[in-house]
Amino acid sequence: MLGGGALYSAQQVPPIPQEVIGPDGETVATQSQVQDGKVAFQQNSLMNHGSILGNGAYYGVDYTADTLDLKVEHVREYYAQERHETAYTDLKPAEQGGIDRLVEDDLDEQFTEGAETIEYSAPEVYAHEQVRDEYAQRYHEGSLERGVPADFIGSEEEARQFADFALWTAWISHTDRPRSDTSFTNEWPYNPDAGNTPTGATMIWSVISMVLLVGAVGVGVFMAHGTAAHELAVSIRNTTD
């Protein structure tokens, strides 16, 4: 059973593409940059500061959720400037709604099994570059309000590669698996602006998990009280004897 589970997990591993390209065929990021970003993440102990795909420490942000939020934000700004020549926050609610639909459509992607490239839209290319710049500033130059000292990542290049890695995790979070209508992370992290909302299966298993947890705690408390009561009864009997 364990072997079967390991095989299934290996088959379901999200792909790291050979190349991320823009609409004109320009290279945005490569597989080696993403992998080097993972190395930078590990070598600089970033998991002891924040988390990735929900795993790690919680002093800082979850890098998957953070880059997904930033990606949505910058794609919005791209469309706001392109369509209305103003900031997203300055738009009327109806105009913001139109932009929101464009963003969700952009990020509602499906991976083609066996594909070696990811093709970004122009807004996604823009967002990727903006997040790279922000991560270089935050994790190389430092961000005291976030508890990040200067040179937390030793070089600007490594910080940008770390952004590539974090953005790859954001990509697998909003991109559906082949022949599926849910993402590689089952629509996690929650971000309705990116189309990530809990699936029915997620809700069902969350409820089942809570019921099992409460039930297990109840059984544990019952057994503990039963043991204590038994020990008390034995103690009283020994005393009276």
Side-chain angles (χ1 to χ4, degrees):
M1 183 178 292
L2 291 176
L7 178 61
Y8 177 79
S9 297
Q11 292 172 339
Q12 299 300 312
V13 170
I16 300 178
Q18 293 292 328
E19 202 173 32
V20 179
I21 61 174
D24 297 326
E26 72 276 21
T27 299
V28 179
T30 64
Q31 185 181 77
S32 62
Q33 286 174 311
V34 173
Q35 291 171 333
D36 288 345
K38 181 181 179 181
V39 171
F41 166 74
Q42 294 169 326
Q43 287 183 337
N44 291 280
S45 300
L46 282 155
M47 188 171 272
N48 292 331
H49 182 265
S51 57
I52 196 89
L53 291 168
N55 299 295
Y58 297 99
Y59 300 110
V61 298
D62 180 87
Y63 309 114
T64 304
D66 184 51
T67 49
L68 183 59
D69 286 343
L70 290 171
K71 188 172 184 177
V72 168
E73 176 186 326
H74 291 304
V75 171
R76 273 178 179 164
E77 288 303 326
Y78 181 97
Y79 276 124
Q81 291 293 336
E82 181 188 59
R83 301 295 176 94
H84 304 283
E85 298 183 345
T86 189
Y88 174 83
T89 53
D90 294 334
L91 297 176
K92 297 175 182 178
E95 293 170 332
Q96 288 184 343
I99 296 296
D100 292 343
R101 285 189 291 275
L102 288 171
V103 173
E104 191 169 343
D105 287 345
D106 250 16
L107 302 186
D108 184 20
E109 303 175 59
Q110 183 140 33
F111 180 69
T112 302
E113 192 167 12
E116 295 186 350
T117 60
I118 297 171
E119 186 171 339
Y120 271 178
S121 64
E124 286 182 288
V125 173
Y126 170 78
H128 195 108
E129 293 295 342
Q130 295 301 309
V131 176
R132 267 182 178 158
D133 290 343
E134 185 159 342
Y135 267 44
Q137 182 176 19
R138 186 191 302 176
Y139 294 107
H140 174 57
E141 297 178 20
S143 176
L144 293 181
E145 65 272 16
R146 292 177 177 271
V148 180
D151 291 323
F152 196 51
I153 295 180
S155 71
E156 182 177 329
E157 181 184 5
E158 284 184 310
R160 289 178 176 276
Q161 289 170 343
F162 169 52
D164 291 332
F165 171 58
L167 281 160
W168 170 74
T169 69
W171 175 79
I172 66 174
S173 78
H174 69 71
T175 299
D176 292 345
R177 293 177 179 274
R179 302 178 302 279
S180 173
D181 59 357
T182 58
S183 73
F184 286 98
T185 60
N186 290 323
E187 308 300 324
W188 187 93
Y190 176 76
N191 189 325
D193 295 327
N196 279 17
T197 55
T199 64
T202 298
M203 299 301 291
I204 290 170
W205 282 106
S206 295
V207 171
I208 291 173
S209 298
M210 287 298 297
V211 170
L212 291 175
L213 175 62
V214 172
V217 170
V219 170
V221 171
F222 176 78
M223 292 178 65
H225 277 286
T227 301
H230 175 71
E231 291 176 349
L232 179 61
V234 170
S235 176
I236 293 173
R237 187 165 56 249
N238 290 339
T239 301
T240 56
D241 289 345

